[in-house]
Amino acid sequence: MVVELDSALTQVPSAAQTLEVLGLCAFGASERHHIVPLDRPTWETWAKTWPRETEETLREIWDSGEQAAALGAHDRVRVVPDPAGDPSARSPSTALTLLGYPLRVLVENGRHDRDFLLAFADTATRAQLETAEARGWLVFESAGGIGEVEPRLKRIRDHAIERCRVFCMVDSDAKAPKQLSTKAKDARRLIGAVARAAGMSPNRCGHVLERRAAENYVPPREIRRSAAAVLGPQTADIKQAWDAAYQANAATLRGGIGRPGTPRRRFLAALALETLDERVIAHLDFDQGHGADGTRTDHVVWNLLRPLEKAVLKDGIGKDAIREVYRRGRGYQGATDELRELLGVIWGRL
């Protein structure tokens, strides 16, 4: 976060508030936040009232803060002696409390959604987020499922500090384009309410995934690679059989499709996923496929599949297999810019 220090803070007679200003600067020394002195010459004069070593440290903190602020990606807070009548500003004591809070990324499952997001982070962003997490500046927090997101966001909305230090991400649960579940719509509405209360834009406070669920972003090549690591040399014959059956528009292939959950079935499912268009990729139930009762994937989406694709995807791939791919994932490239932008917002809000 960029912390803008009003020059009036250099004139406060209170020793306690002076210490609070130094405490704010200390956040810059640890590189947790970026401290920017407004009216730098006035602050340079103030810095000279301190011992030489402290003066030099303050200059380094401010130089670093100004460089980070120039990037324009970070949340900002302005600190003034008395913010009365100015809802966009904070007093030094309130700012200290605010800046001490970690950024809480509220998700349905803190462990698995963390793995999902970090799998798509580039090397530099992942390193920054993991460092922030290790230092207690970032917390991936489980809501306990999408049904618990609404009450959690309502409480956060009414807490003056927490609403400024939260980012919420949930699945859309959309079985077809633009058909968000009721709970996902509630989450989107409350993300907007939190944003308004915090004086921020909704995209800075949260995001409802465009695709049905986190599983729908898994790169098919990674599922294929995971299965191939078990199958070994068999993969060449399986791929050849798949190509022949797919060309013939058959519903099965030489050697069969294998039982659900086996490496053979996962390998074939990955081959199928590589052929599908965005409508299917975005809304297919990756966990259970068509489902035992044929309702897990909307029939409009399901009927876009060819016979062989239906055969190998009818039972899905399984959350456990996909979660393992995410757990090991590094630098995955998303099919859209959605996840890259989402990660950029989280990084900018630290």
Side-chain angles (χ1 to χ4, degrees), residues 298-331:
D298 187 275
H299 71 278
V300 172
V301 173
W302 188 251
N303 287 336
L304 293 173
L305 275 64
R306 297 173 58 157
L308 187 57
E309 294 165 344
K310 289 181 177 179
V312 300
L313 289 170
K314 66 180 181 179
D315 301 294
I317 298 173
K319 284 186 178 180
D320 288 345
I322 295 174
R323 286 170 172 173
E324 178 61 20
V325 168
Y326 285 153
R327 189 185 67 80
R328 295 183 288 99
R330 296 292 186 279

Side-chain angles (χ1 to χ4, degrees), residues 1-4 20 23-24 27 32-35 75-80 83 87-104 136-138 156 159-166 194 197-200 205 349-350:
M1 182 178 288
V2 171
V3 184
E4 299 175 335
E20 289 168 348
L24 293 172
F27 279 121
R32 178 169 186 179
H33 297 294
H34 311 295
I35 313 303
D75 284 359
R76 291 174 181 261
V77 59
R78 188 164 58 88
V79 186
V80 300
S88 65
R90 306 274 180 173
S91 69
S93 60
T94 303
L96 277 172
T97 301
L98 171 66
L99 298 174
Y101 263 68
L103 176 68
R104 294 161 59 199
W137 305 346
L138 171 67
I156 289 169
H159 192 288
I161 297 295
E162 288 189 25
R163 66 191 180 212
C164 295
R165 299 298 290 151
V166 69
V194 170
M200 304 170 68
C205 285
R349 296 211 53 212
L350 287 174

Side-chain angles (χ1 to χ4, degrees), residues 33-102:
H33 297 294
H34 311 295
I35 313 303
V36 176
L38 303 179
D39 186 6
R40 180 73 181 258
T42 298
W43 282 98
E44 290 282 354
T45 300
W46 182 81
K48 292 180 184 297
T49 65
W50 297 97
R52 175 60 64 86
E53 185 176 352
T54 303
E55 176 188 354
E56 292 176 352
T57 300
L58 287 169
R59 286 203 180 102
E60 292 173 1
I61 290 169
W62 298 338
D63 288 343
S64 175
E66 289 171 345
Q67 291 172 7
L71 298 176
H74 303 283
D75 284 359
R76 291 174 181 261
V77 59
R78 188 164 58 88
V79 186
V80 300
D82 182 4
D86 186 353
S88 65
R90 306 274 180 173
S91 69
S93 60
T94 303
L96 277 172
T97 301
L98 171 66
L99 298 174
Y101 263 68

Side-chain angles (χ1 to χ4, degrees), residues 111-112 114-121 126 130 218-230 266 317 319-332:
R111 177 161 57 98
H112 299 308
R114 172 191 179 277
D115 290 343
F116 160 61
L117 288 172
L118 292 183
F120 286 91
R126 184 181 184 115
E130 288 182 331
V218 67
R221 67 181 179 277
E222 299 301 333
I223 294 291
R224 182 177 176 180
R225 182 179 302 169
S226 175
V230 179
R266 290 202 306 273
I317 298 173
K319 284 186 178 180
D320 288 345
I322 295 174
R323 286 170 172 173
E324 178 61 20
V325 168
Y326 285 153
R327 189 185 67 80
R328 295 183 288 99
R330 296 292 186 279
Y332 291 164

Side-chain angles (χ1 to χ4, degrees), residues 148-159:
E148 290 299 312
V149 169
E150 180 180 4
R152 295 289 291 281
L153 286 179
K154 283 182 177 178
R155 186 184 64 79
I156 289 169
R157 176 196 59 194
D158 298 330
H159 192 288

